[in-house]
Amino acid sequence: MNLDSFLLMRHEMVLTIITLMVLIADLSFNEEKKIKVIWLATALFAINTIIGFLPNISGNLFGNMYKNTDLQWTMKNILNLGVLVVLLQSVEWLKSADNKYKISEFYLLVFSTLIGMQFMISSGSFLMLYLGLELATIPMAALAAYDRYRHHSAEAGIKLILSAAMSSAVLLLGITLIYGTTGSTYFDVVALKYANIPLQTLAFIFFFSGMAFKISLVPFHLWTADVYEGAPVNVTSYLSVISKGASAFILIIVLFTVFNSISMIWKPLLYIISVLTMTIGNLFAIRQQNMKRFLAFSSIAQAGFILLGIIGASSIGMTSVVYFVFVYIFSNLGAFGVVSVIYYKTQKENMDDYNGLYHTNPKLSLIMMLALFSLAGIPPVAGYFGKFFLFTAAASSGYYWLVFIAVLNATISLYYYLLVVKAMFINKSETPIAYFKTDVPAKIALSICVLGIFFIGFFSIIYQYLESISFGI
Amino acid sequence: MNTGIPIEYFLVTATLMFFAGVYGFVTRKNLITMLMSVELMLNAVNINFLVFNRYLFPGQLEGHFFSLFVIAVAAAEAAVAIALIINIYRNFQSIDVEKTDEMKF
């Protein structure tokens, strides 16, 4: 190993340097200048995103503990793009008087969780996976409790850290049993020795439960709604999109590379969990009035759709999952962007408050409508293609009933997404949210989302590229 | 390599510890006790790692390394969790989980 091979970890290295730079800047700026950290961090992160797109090198580091191929590289770039949008959306929020003294904390915590996710995606052994997962989770709890004098936020933080600690203990029990039965924690060695024997099946189930907590699949989803509602809006959007996307990525990689020899065990498991996740997520979403809680349940349902792509265990499945997450990042961030802009201007986040929004703020309502259409999967926008490919992947492996249930669920989800659209465009209100000007960074973020929602679906080159780097079992 | 105590003794102890932790986590109402239960679970996992390494794969060190990392991460986790519990105490004047129920279905 020479110094050049560290370039393999370019994403993580650059991000670490940026984190340190933000820390030093925070220490050296005096009180009045603290606000400049916002611009520094956002600009540095934009540079990092661009650096990520430079041509990559594939290879292994640290004796196969760290792996980098085109697939991992692309996943990290997708996450970087999403985080850039989140950072742009949170500029106005961070400028408010309450947050003045803790601006840089936000960036430090976000960057460290992102480093954790990137190590997790690149992991080649369970040790790296565990460390990445914890690095992505522990600062996240601090982020959720960012508005620490608000009761809801404090509550969200403690709920997140305790359930995450519990779930990672279960995950670790799975890893110990995997280690005990195979004698290694490296993915490639474990994959060779994995077979359908009871103890290894048990180990897999423990491991899967731990991962399912992170993606909030149904029997393990109870923390999601509370944490999403309590955390500040921008943190919620980060949690629901980036964190969930990263966990979905690593889950599909691990299932396809390590546990491929017991696919006959995890396929029925995923089948049941997928049906439960879609259905329960949708049914609970219908009765929500708070927009953040509503989007939380809708994101649980979307996780159920992601499983549809995994269950096929084909390279089409992996392509469709990565593609779906890519589209989902833009659609969900579009919706959360509008919610956050409205919340920080007016402190309103209930669905009733959105009545008559179209007459006062037509552009915001249109963006919200597009984002919700994309989440629901209505044809012209990219979300349709995302869902379509997921369904194709499941159907091409013969899961027709599952696709049928998923289509039914997509119809149910259309109902509650349209409730919001109806509130904005049709419902009358005595006191609609007054007209206001959206600030520039949020405008840029929303424009990126709209561009993503429209154009990802039409550029087939993106899908073809993802297909060329994906693999099946 | 045989030290006299059969491996089953350790594994049974670890399993008991783990599920005692699960039981404590589910039934206790005090946030600090819940955190202690999680630590108990993590320690049980550590015993598992060490025992598997010592008895089944004595030639290598992966299990030992893993348990070292688990200890370090558990410390970080406890630090953040206790900070958040103090924050809960300042907001609610209590660290009873029943009090932190402002958000429900």
Side-chain angles (χ1 to χ4, degrees):
Chain A
M1 192 168 117
N2 51 14
L3 211 56
D4 288 349
S5 56
F6 274 103
L7 283 177
L8 267 177
M9 304 199 296
R10 198 166 67 208
H11 276 106
E12 292 85 354
M13 299 280 275
V14 175
L15 201 53
T16 314
I17 293 168
I18 289 176
T19 316
L20 293 177
M21 281 166 82
V22 171
L23 185 65
I24 293 167
D26 179 54
L27 291 175
S28 51
F29 287 178
N30 56 20
E31 283 299 314
E32 296 85 62
K33 280 187 181 166
K34 281 261 155 83
I35 212 133
K36 286 184 181 162
V37 173
I38 296 179
W39 303 113
L40 179 74
T42 314
L44 284 176
F45 193 80
I47 294 170
N48 171 43
T49 314
I50 295 166
I51 291 176
F53 279 100
L54 296 178
N56 93 54
I57 332 154
S58 305
N60 302 330
L61 274 184
F62 309 123
N64 279 349
M65 224 179 223
Y66 179 94
K67 275 183 191 165
N68 224 343
T69 63
D70 284 342
L71 181 70
Q72 272 101 350
W73 203 266
T74 313
M75 286 171 172
K76 288 177 191 169
N77 280 336
I78 291 175
L79 294 186
N80 272 348
L81 270 179
V83 174
L84 185 63
V85 175
V86 172
L87 291 189
L88 286 173
Q89 280 174 357
S90 40
V91 167
E92 198 61 16
W93 165 60
L94 287 171
K95 275 186 184 166
S96 65
D98 291 348
N99 295 329
K100 222 171 179 179
Y101 59 99
K102 50 180 181 179
I103 290 172
S104 50
E105 285 172 32
F106 176 77
Y107 290 106
L108 292 176
L109 293 171
V110 166
F111 291 161
S112 18
T113 48
L114 189 63
I115 294 173
M117 288 168 204
Q118 297 190 339
F119 271 120
M120 179 168 80
I121 288 175
S122 277
S123 57
S125 99
F126 282 107
L127 179 57
M128 199 61 142
L129 172 73
Y130 171 68
L131 290 179
L133 196 73
E134 290 297 319
L135 185 54
T137 317
I138 298 175
M140 195 68 92
L143 268 181
Y146 190 77
D147 285 349
R148 58 173 195 252
Y149 297 120
R150 208 159 50 83
H151 279 200
H152 281 189
S153 188
E155 204 180 313
I158 195 70
K159 280 177 175 165
L160 179 56
I161 189 88
L162 280 181
S163 44
M166 164 86 177
S167 74
S168 57
V170 175
L171 179 106
L172 273 176
L173 185 66
I175 296 177
T176 55
L177 294 180
I178 290 171
Y179 175 65
T181 48
T182 61
S184 176
T185 53
Y186 290 90
F187 285 173
D188 28 13
V189 183
V190 172
L192 290 178
K193 295 188 182 169
Y194 228 77
N196 186 10
I197 60 171
L199 191 57
Q200 289 189 336
T201 310
L202 185 71
F204 168 72
I205 288 173
F206 279 131
F207 177 81
F208 182 77
S209 320
M211 289 305 294
F213 250 105
K214 311 287 176 198
I215 323 179
S216 58
L217 299 176
V218 147
F220 316 102
H221 68 293
L222 289 164
W223 61 275
T224 320
D226 287 357
V227 172
Y228 282 20
E229 185 187 347
V233 189
N234 301 90
V235 175
T236 308
S237 57
Y238 182 65
L239 250 175
S240 76
V241 177
I242 312 296
S243 174
K244 179 171 284 202
S247 315
F249 286 156
I250 186 62
L251 181 69
I252 192 168
I253 292 178
V254 169
L255 285 181
F256 280 19
T257 56
V258 184
F259 298 111
N260 51 11
S261 54
I262 55 161
S263 63
M264 66 288 188
I265 288 171
W266 55 257
K267 275 180 185 170
L269 190 76
L270 284 188
Y271 194 113
I272 298 165
I273 288 183
S274 162
V275 171
L276 278 176
T277 310
M278 287 187 287
T279 318
I280 292 181
N282 275 335
L283 293 182
F284 276 98
I286 291 175
R287 56 191 290 266
Q288 301 305 327
Q289 271 300 311
N290 180 300
M291 281 304 286
K292 273 150 79 187
R293 226 179 156 78
F294 165 81
L295 285 172
F297 277 105
S298 108
S299 83
I300 294 177
Q302 304 282 348
F305 286 113
I306 291 178
L307 291 190
L308 234 67
I310 302 181
I311 202 169
S314 56
S315 95
I316 307 175
M318 183 179 270
T319 318
S320 65
V321 169
V322 180
Y323 185 82
F324 182 79
V325 172
F326 190 33
V327 173
Y328 170 75
I329 282 179
F330 290 109
S331 351
N332 220 18
L333 283 181
F336 268 114
V338 175
V339 172
S340 82
V341 165
I342 290 176
Y343 179 71
Y344 291 116
K345 291 281 181 196
T346 63
Q347 308 295 314
K348 287 178 179 169
E349 54 175 8
N350 275 339
M351 212 184 276
D352 298 338
D353 301 328
Y354 284 54
N355 287 349
L357 187 70
Y358 177 68
H359 300 289
T360 52
N361 293 291
K363 280 184 203 158
L364 279 182
S365 328
L366 280 173
I367 295 172
M368 186 74 168
M369 186 191 75
L370 269 179
L372 292 175
F373 278 5
S374 182
L375 284 172
I378 290 178
V381 286
Y384 162 72
F385 296 101
K387 281 232 169 74
F388 176 74
F389 291 136
L390 284 178
F391 292 170
T392 317
S396 60
S397 305
Y399 290 97
Y400 297 114
W401 275 106
L402 185 62
V403 173
F404 179 67
I405 297 168
V407 170
L408 278 185
N409 269 301
T411 323
I412 299 175
S413 71
L414 191 59
Y415 165 71
Y416 60 75
Y417 287 130
L418 286 182
L419 278 183
V420 182
V421 177
K422 174 169 167 276
M424 292 188 303
F425 285 84
I426 298 172
N427 288 3
K428 296 276 184 291
S429 167
E430 298 289 310
T431 53
I433 293 169
Y435 171 77
F436 58 82
K437 269 185 100 65
T438 313
D439 48 288
V440 179
K443 262 186 191 162
I444 299 173
L446 288 175
S447 327
I448 296 176
C449 292
V450 170
L451 284 179
I453 291 171
F454 261 120
F455 289 109
I456 295 174
F458 293 126
F459 284 121
S460 56
I461 188 163
I462 297 175
Y463 185 82
Q464 281 159 2
Y465 176 67
L466 292 178
E467 197 171 21
S468 69
I469 58 175
S470 302
F471 58 88
I473 286 184
Chain B
M1 215 54 224
N2 196 346
T3 47
I5 307 175
I7 183 172
E8 292 85 2
Y9 285 46
F10 289 105
L11 292 183
V12 168
T13 316
T15 315
L16 282 179
M17 264 173 79
F18 189 88
F19 287 99
V22 174
Y23 178 78
F25 187 83
V26 176
T27 53
R28 290 302 175 130
K29 302 275 181 246
N30 185 307
L31 287 172
I32 303 248
T33 329
M34 287 171 79
L35 185 65
M36 282 161 62
S37 309
V38 172
E39 297 292 319
L40 195 62
M41 290 159 73
L42 292 176
N43 284 338
V45 166
N46 278 341
I47 295 181
N48 253 359
F49 268 124
L50 297 177
V51 168
F52 281 138
N53 197 342
R54 181 100 170 83
Y55 281 80
L56 300 181
F57 316 106
Q60 38 151 305
L61 286 171
E62 276 178 81
H64 292 299
F65 278 130
F66 212 121
S67 63
L68 278 179
F69 278 108
V70 172
I71 292 170
V73 169
E77 208 160 47
V80 174
I82 288 176
L84 290 175
I85 291 173
I86 292 172
N87 186 31
I88 283 281
Y89 183 76
R90 286 191 183 148
N91 276 301
F92 294 85
Q93 276 72 48
S94 155
I95 50 167
D96 192 339
V97 270
E98 311 255 303
K99 292 282 191 323
T100 58
D101 62 348
E102 290 195 356
M103 292 177 291
K104 272 188 179 173
F105 282 80

